[in-house]
Amino acid sequence: MSREERQKLGNQVLEMFDHAYGNYMEHAYPADELMPLTCRGRVRGQEPSRGDVDDALGKFSLTLIDSLDTLVVLNKTKEFEDAVRKVLRDVNLDNDVVVSVFETNIRVLGGLLGGHSLAIMLKEKGEYMQWYNDELLQMAKQLGYKLLPAFNTTSGLPYPRINLKFGVRKPEARTGTETDTCTACAGTLILEFAALSRFTGATIFEEYARKALDFLWEKRQRSSNLVGVTINIHTGDWVRKDSGVGAGIDSYYEYLLKAYVLLGDDSFLERFNTHYDAIMRYISQPPLLLDVHIHKPMLNARTWMDALLAFFPGLQVLKGDIRPAIETHEMLYQVIKKHNFLPEAFTTDFRVHWAQHPLRPEFAESTYFLYKATGDPYYLEVGKTLIENLNKYARVPCGFAAMKDVRTGSHEDRMDSFFLAEMFKYLYLLFADKEDIIFDIEDYIFTTEAHLLPLWLSTTNQSISKKNTTSEYTELDDSNFDWSCPNTQILFPNDPLYAQSIREPLKNVVDKSCPRGIIRVEESFRSGAKPPLRARDFMATNPEHLEILKKMGVSLIHLKDGRVQLVQHAIQAASSIDAEDGLRFMQEMIELSSQQQKEQQLPPRAVQIVSHPFFGRVVLTAGPAQFGLDLSKHKETRGFVASSKPYNGCSELTNPEAVMGKIALIQRGQCMFAEKARHIQNAGAIGGIVIDDNEGSSSDTAPLFQMAGDGKDTDDIKIPMLFLFSKEGSIILDAIREYEEVEVLLSDKAKDRAAILKGKMIPSYIINSNPEMENEDQPSSENDSLNQSAEQITSSSQEVDLVDQKSPEESSLNSQPESLSPADTDKAASVSPSEQISNPMENHEITSLDGECTDLDNQLQEQSETEEDSNPNVSWGKKVQPIDSILADWNEDIEAFEMMEKDEL
């Protein structure tokens, strides 16, 4: 990449930062964070609670403090000076608010210390900050003392939360009753607390942080040298015993290595090396990093990975272990190329598990470190892709909005402070030359929030004993540990294509994965015996087939939602041979399911309400159909909606004039999906939306499925058909009741609002990119609630549903056996009649009889704790205010959401 192009991209990063920071200062400051969709500040207590994610907010202008050292890195020294003055003038740290000790430490304490570090650097240079007299350091010290009461436990591990004004355990503190904390929460304090001690000479901070780290080290699982995710702060017992490098543990490992770099204490490096050996032995399954059980580290604890592990390749670069860093980074980049952003969680076969993306910077961080280590311009192209995706998909008139669902492109009204603290810092440094930065970045270390602490602290105020207390555990003969930091001149002396040679085998890992450990199923017929029932011939309505299933020990269970589940109990089979046939039948059913899902799988579609007063702000995630117009290949369909009569659409419509030229709404049930489509098409409808008749169903809690045909030729169906669950469908029905004329857009993904409104007579503020106007972009509180609550699917699995659920002769079935081992006694699978199968099973890899590669992991259906944390139902029954009233009162604070989902990470 030429210097000119790198400069151009660097300037683009500067413009993007100005867009985000400027809108925060204009529309949100002194609030903690900007709400970029509604162009206002997020103030704790004035917005509906978002659960734990709000614990980062302490009414202390979080985004401003978190952005201080970013301003200097981006060479905005005048803005930095102004920002420091604002912090000193406006920020109050004595608020009666309960905050996260971990978040307050890395964002606020780290932000103040990073700001102080660069303020004294600028003062020494003699041009800026000549008036500065350690005021930020004094604020940091004040905050440090406010956090110290959290450490008042027998173990030395801090409480997870503290009241800034009243501490913990006092009645007015409203906190201090917690018993558990995450490993990262207790183990990510040493850099900031030690720096505070070294800057001020007050040793108490470093002592408390070291005690917490010492306790975690002592409580590691001695046989595996791994730590769990959560721990009891009073007893030291592990509460969650799974272990990985993602959420809950990530920065604990990071701070062990960086504490060695910053403080020069060998014990931290020895502890890190011990843990790193265990990580590479058990968790690293290149290019994947999978959680395991600390007591049984050979056993995987889950089949998905979370986005926070994207920091790990950067940490491996700091350690000097480049090859696995390149491998994991490349795998993550392939996921990003598939979804535009890294989903909050994704499965081992790279499907979306949690669809959100709050603009996390960890992947950009690893990209920067890999470029520093390898000098490979490939990583500049990766950074360029990140910039393009942010501008194309996340940029809004008032900043950058988090992605609610990476598959549909829907937004969430949040712009976290870490986006300004980290993302722009790493992206700018990626493209900057040394002379573009006004100080030597190599003189500093990055905290986990990318705040800068000077390395000279290692020789300042060293009152803490460096006695080595860990060597007895860490006599490891591993030549890799000779490396503590990479030296590119030695690592890549003769082979500039080294990194490319590692990446090349992973180029197709996401889109063209084929399972390892393939099992071949050989078909064998007993001579003279009647051929056993084959999965492809099975019909759930055939009594003879049901009798054969019973003989094979396979029973049929009708589920409440209309699906049918197959369960095999080998012990109930008529004979061992019949049990064998049952096992083969279940294997074939799984194989058939995998093949059909691969052939027929379609991504989710979007239903976007584009009429007044929504104007494209409501995006509903819809299930596709395997028949009719394919929205991914043809132009989207736009039209007004109308309910069909009869509402189930199972007979000729009695109101064809009402649906003529419109998109018909029909209810699920009573007949085949294809039959409904033909009836509304014959009435002149240009599209159809099937709304689930199972009241209260939602894409938050149910897996999205595809509407399958009726086993006949469906080429006669030319209109697009989409499916909405009850909760999403009620949003459209409520809008019809309120506004009568409701226009929607059926498409493969949400469309840009400016494109939607092109040529329409609408208020100028709707498409005006002027940030000053964007705060008008608010419908009524209930409308806004509709906008924000049109939640996208959070389940990554998809089903093929042949029929409407209420028809007894048309039940769909679901594949979910526990195992296919002949030794197992319980097998479960679900199937669909007419060879239509939905949601195949978990973690099975089977090759079809003709040898074709089939990846059953692609059909993963999680039965995990995350399903229990799914979104609460939202009430839609409230009367919507007239839009005229809202436009008259637009400058008032309105409630943005009735309820938001808990942040599972």
Side-chain angles (χ1 to χ4, degrees):
M1 185 177 288
S2 67
R3 175 175 168 79
E4 290 73 21
E5 187 175 359
R6 280 189 287 112
Q7 281 186 328
K8 181 181 177 182
L9 289 167
N11 291 335
Q12 201 170 349
V13 174
L14 293 176
E15 185 278 330
M16 292 166 66
F17 175 81
D18 289 341
H19 179 66
Y21 180 74
N23 275 287
Y24 165 74
M25 295 304 294
E26 181 175 351
H27 296 294
Y29 180 78
D32 283 315
E33 289 180 343
L34 169 68
M35 298 170 67
L37 297 183
T38 49
C39 296
R40 68 179 192 268
R42 184 182 296 281
V43 179
R44 188 89 173 265
Q46 293 183 16
E47 302 292 336
S49 172
R50 301 177 297 170
D52 293 346
V53 71
D54 277 341
D55 288 342
L57 312 180
K59 298 183 178 179
F60 35 38
S61 301
L62 175 63
T63 299
L64 181 63
I65 293 177
D66 225 359
S67 304
L68 287 176
D69 50 6
T70 304
L71 290 165
V72 182
V73 172
L74 272 54
N75 203 9
K76 296 179 178 295
T77 47
K78 184 178 183 301
E79 290 91 335
F80 171 73
E81 195 158 357
D82 293 340
V84 172
R85 291 186 189 274
K86 282 187 172 68
V87 170
L88 300 180
R89 183 190 70 205
D90 300 337
V91 173
N92 177 24
L93 298 174
D94 196 37
N95 300 312
D96 179 12
V97 59
V98 176
V99 297
S100 160
V101 173
F102 166 75
E103 297 288 359
T104 304
N105 171 66
I106 65 171
R107 300 202 206 188
V108 186
L109 184 59
L112 292 171
L113 291 172
H116 170 70
S117 300
L118 298 187
I120 58 178
M121 177 275 297
L122 289 172
K123 185 176 181 180
E124 288 175 5
K125 286 182 175 291
E127 184 177 353
Y128 293 96
M129 304 298 293
Q130 296 307 298
W131 53 271
Y132 182 71
N133 193 27
D134 295 351
E135 288 88 351
L136 290 177
L137 181 59
Q138 296 311 310
M139 286 186 70
K141 188 175 181 181
Q142 177 193 357
L143 180 60
Y145 279 119
K146 285 184 171 295
L147 295 178
L148 283 184
F151 292 84
N152 189 19
T153 61
T154 53
S155 65
L157 299 178
Y159 283 97
R161 298 174 187 85
I162 194 167
N163 187 300
L164 288 175
K165 191 177 185 70
F166 298 110
V168 293
R169 303 189 68 177
K170 295 179 183 177
E172 58 268 38
R174 307 185 305 283
T175 189
T177 58
E178 303 94 342
T179 58
D180 307 334
T181 193
C182 71
T183 301
C185 301
T188 312
L189 299 158
I190 186 66
L191 291 188
E192 292 83 2
F193 272 51
L196 184 57
S197 287
R198 302 296 176 96
F199 272 130
T200 64
T203 61
I204 186 170
F205 304 109
E206 187 172 343
E207 289 169 357
Y208 274 63
R210 280 179 178 262
K211 183 180 178 183
L213 270 183
D214 290 345
F215 190 82
L216 289 173
W217 170 253
E218 290 300 320
K219 290 298 178 180
R220 77 195 185 284
Q221 213 292 320
R222 296 298 176 98
S223 62
S224 66
N225 281 321
L226 294 172
V227 291
V229 175
T230 55
I231 190 171
N232 187 298
I233 59 176
H234 304 296
T235 66
D237 295 331
W238 290 109
V239 179
R240 275 188 55 189
K241 299 176 182 179
D242 45 319
S243 184
V245 295
I249 303 179
D250 49 2
S251 50
Y252 163 68
Y253 295 134
E254 177 185 2
Y255 270 37
L256 283 177
L257 182 56
K258 289 184 176 179
Y260 163 69
V261 176
L262 181 65
L263 306 177
D265 189 333
D266 289 344
S267 66
F268 291 128
L269 179 61
E270 292 180 354
R271 293 181 192 183
F272 174 79
N273 284 340
T274 303
H275 285 313
Y276 188 77
D277 177 67
I279 290 168
M280 300 310 289
R281 191 183 305 271
Y282 304 120
I283 296 170
S284 177
Q285 302 176 34
L288 309 180
L289 291 162
L290 292 176
D291 286 17
V292 299
H293 296 278
I294 58 175
H295 295 97
K296 297 179 180 179
M298 302 305 292
L299 186 64
N300 287 340
R302 59 172 62 147
T303 55
W304 49 271
M305 297 164 278
D306 65 72
L308 287 172
L309 62 78
F311 91 100
F312 197 67
L315 188 64
Q316 290 179 305
V317 169
L318 190 63
K319 158 118 186 91
D321 200 2
I322 304 295
R323 173 180 284 275
I326 294 172
E327 291 174 335
T328 299
H329 180 276
E330 181 63 20
M331 177 270 292
L332 294 171
Y333 185 43
Q334 297 299 325
V335 175
I336 288 174
K337 288 204 288 189
K338 183 174 183 178
H339 299 295
N340 299 321
F341 297 99
L342 199 60
E344 279 291 73
F346 54 94
T347 62
T348 52
D349 57 354
F350 313 110
R351 291 179 176 227
V352 173
H353 184 64
W354 295 335
Q356 309 97 314
H357 173 74
L359 306 183
R360 294 200 184 277
E362 285 78 15
F363 181 77
E365 173 186 358
S366 289
T367 302
Y368 165 67
F369 281 114
L370 271 170
Y371 179 64
K372 292 282 288 184
T374 65
D376 191 335
Y378 176 83
Y379 297 108
L380 297 177
E381 297 295 338
V382 173
K384 182 179 179 181
T385 300
L386 297 182
I387 291 173
E388 290 172 349
N389 288 350
L390 284 171
N391 277 321
K392 187 173 182 180
Y393 302 109
R395 187 169 182 138
V396 294
C398 278
F400 291 84
M403 307 305 297
K404 177 63 188 169
D405 192 313
V406 298
R407 295 164 297 192
T408 60
S410 57
H411 288 134
E412 196 173 348
D413 202 4
R414 63 185 284 195
M415 187 179 80
D416 294 82
S417 69
F418 54 68
F419 182 59
L420 284 87
E422 302 183 65
M423 181 68 82
F424 297 113
K425 201 174 286 173
Y426 288 125
L427 287 178
Y428 182 74
L429 289 171
L430 177 64
F431 297 107
D433 290 323
K434 196 168 185 178
E435 55 269 23
D436 295 332
I437 307 167
I438 60 175
F439 63 99
D440 190 352
I441 200 76
E442 305 300 337
D443 290 338
Y444 297 81
I445 190 168
F446 290 105
T447 68
T448 194
E449 191 77 2
H451 293 307
L452 295 166
L453 299 176
L455 293 176
W456 52 257
L457 288 175
S458 61
T459 57
T460 305
N461 291 326
Q462 292 178 280
S463 55
I464 305 296
S465 169
K466 285 191 183 179
K467 182 180 178 182
N468 191 335
T469 59
T470 61
S471 58
E472 58 182 296
Y473 306 122
T474 56
E475 294 300 325
L476 298 174
D477 181 21
D478 189 331
S479 59
N480 186 43
F481 293 166
D482 294 341
W483 299 86
S484 61
C485 290
N487 184 322
T488 55
Q489 291 182 334
I490 298 176
L491 284 172
F492 310 103
N494 302 315
D495 187 6
L497 299 179
Y498 173 79
Q500 181 181 338
S501 67
I502 298 174
R503 288 193 305 266
E504 198 62 37
L506 302 171
K507 283 233 178 266
N508 297 320
V509 69
V510 170
D511 290 325
K512 298 181 181 177
S513 56
C514 184
R516 292 165 291 183
I518 289 172
I519 305 168
R520 290 201 168 273
V521 182
E522 299 293 339
E523 184 177 16
S524 61
F525 294 100
R526 297 179 301 282
S527 58
K530 184 179 179 180
L533 178 64
R534 304 299 301 270
R536 66 168 180 260
D537 301 325
F538 172 70
M539 293 290 291
T541 54
N542 187 322
E544 185 182 348
H545 289 181
L546 297 179
E547 189 62 34
I548 296 174
L549 289 191
K550 185 177 180 182
K551 190 178 179 184
M552 295 189 298
V554 179
S555 54
L556 206 76
I557 301 172
H558 290 269
L559 304 178
K560 289 172 66 177
D561 62 1
R563 293 176 298 158
V564 178
Q565 187 178 47
L566 294 179
V567 182
Q568 186 196 23
H569 302 280
I571 198 170
Q572 295 178 5
S575 68
S576 60
I577 294 178
D578 288 315
E580 246 181 75
D581 288 342
L583 173 63
R584 185 179 296 110
F585 175 82
M586 299 293 278
Q587 289 173 325
E588 287 180 1
M589 193 61 73
I590 296 156
E591 189 176 316
L592 183 62
S593 168
S594 172
Q595 289 173 341
Q596 292 183 343
Q597 284 283 44
K598 277 196 163 187
E599 293 165 3
Q600 301 168 346
Q601 189 169 58
L602 299 170
R605 305 293 188 230
V607 175
Q608 198 166 3
I609 306 181
V610 297
S611 55
H612 163 91
F614 305 100
F615 299 115
R617 285 286 293 281
V618 174
V619 182
L620 308 171
T621 299
Q626 294 174 1
F627 52 85
L629 186 72
D630 186 349
L631 291 170
S632 66
K633 298 177 181 176
H634 298 85
K635 188 178 179 182
E636 66 274 1
T637 298
R638 178 174 181 155
F640 289 93
V641 295
S643 296
S644 61
K645 292 181 182 179
Y647 190 28
N648 61 25
C650 290
S651 61
E652 185 178 340
L653 266 58
T654 60
N655 64 334
E657 70 287 345
V659 300
M660 174 75 72
K662 295 184 179 180
I663 295 171
L665 301 179
I666 39 183
Q667 188 178 47
R668 183 183 187 184
Q670 307 301 319
C671 63
M672 301 279 190
F673 289 121
E675 189 177 341
K676 297 176 189 289
R678 290 188 180 99
H679 285 140
I680 63 171
Q681 179 175 274
N682 292 339
I686 61 172
I689 298 175
V690 179
I691 298 176
D692 195 5
D693 62 340
N694 183 14
E695 189 174 350
S697 67
S698 165
S699 62
D700 299 336
T701 55
L704 197 72
F705 65 83
Q706 305 165 33
M707 297 184 290
D710 53 5
K712 306 172 187 175
D713 186 4
T714 55
D715 289 345
D716 59 313
I717 302 174
K718 306 298 184 183
I719 61 174
M721 294 290 293
L722 297 180
F723 176 86
L724 291 177
F725 282 106
S726 172
K727 176 179 151 184
E728 287 78 8
S730 67
I731 296 175
I732 293 182
L733 297 176
D734 288 347
I736 293 174
R737 281 191 287 270
E738 181 64 27
Y739 301 107
E740 296 184 4
E741 294 289 309
V742 175
E743 188 179 16
V744 301
L745 186 73
L746 311 184
S747 60
D748 60 335
K749 60 174 61 176
K751 302 300 179 185
D752 178 77
R753 287 165 57 210
I756 290 171
L757 301 172
K758 186 175 182 182
K760 298 286 181 180
M761 293 296 293
I762 42 86
S764 61
Y765 68 84
I766 295 296
I767 56 174
N768 195 331
S769 62
N770 185 344
E772 296 175 358
M773 298 297 294
E774 271 302 299
N775 54 359
E776 289 191 19
D777 195 1
Q778 306 174 33
S780 69
S781 59
E782 287 83 357
N783 287 341
D784 205 38
S785 178
L786 286 177
N787 295 343
Q788 299 304 329
S789 300
E791 305 291 355
Q792 312 303 317
I793 30 176
T794 55
S795 172
S796 63
S797 57
Q798 293 191 358
E799 306 178 16
V800 177
D801 205 338
L802 172 68
V803 299
D804 270 337
Q805 70 181 44
K806 298 302 180 185
S807 177
E809 72 274 15
E810 302 166 359
S811 301
S812 103
L813 309 116
N814 188 22
S815 286
Q816 272 187 316
E818 289 293 327
S819 170
L820 287 182
S821 165
D824 284 349
T825 58
D826 286 39
K827 311 273 186 269
S830 313
V831 303
S832 244
S834 301
E835 305 177 29
Q836 303 295 327
I837 315 299
S838 66
N839 256 17
M841 30 185 325
E842 192 168 306
N843 288 333
H844 284 282
E845 298 168 336
I846 300 180
T847 292
S848 54
L849 299 180
D850 59 2
E852 177 183 341
C853 171
T854 304
D855 189 348
L856 287 181
D857 280 343
N858 279 346
Q859 314 302 330
L860 191 64
Q861 180 183 23
E862 286 288 354
Q863 298 292 337
S864 71
E865 65 199 34
T866 62
E867 293 182 351
E868 299 169 8
D869 292 336
S870 56
N871 302 350
N873 285 334
V874 183
S875 170
W876 306 107
K878 292 190 177 181
K879 180 75 174 174
V880 181
Q881 282 182 263
I883 191 65
D884 295 338
S885 167
I886 293 309
L887 294 179
D889 302 330
W890 63 266
N891 56 346
E892 294 181 7
D893 274 333
I894 61 175
E895 183 174 288
F897 314 106
E898 287 185 288
M899 192 170 292
M900 287 192 65
E901 67 190 7
K902 180 179 178 183
D903 189 302
E904 291 141 312
L905 283 182

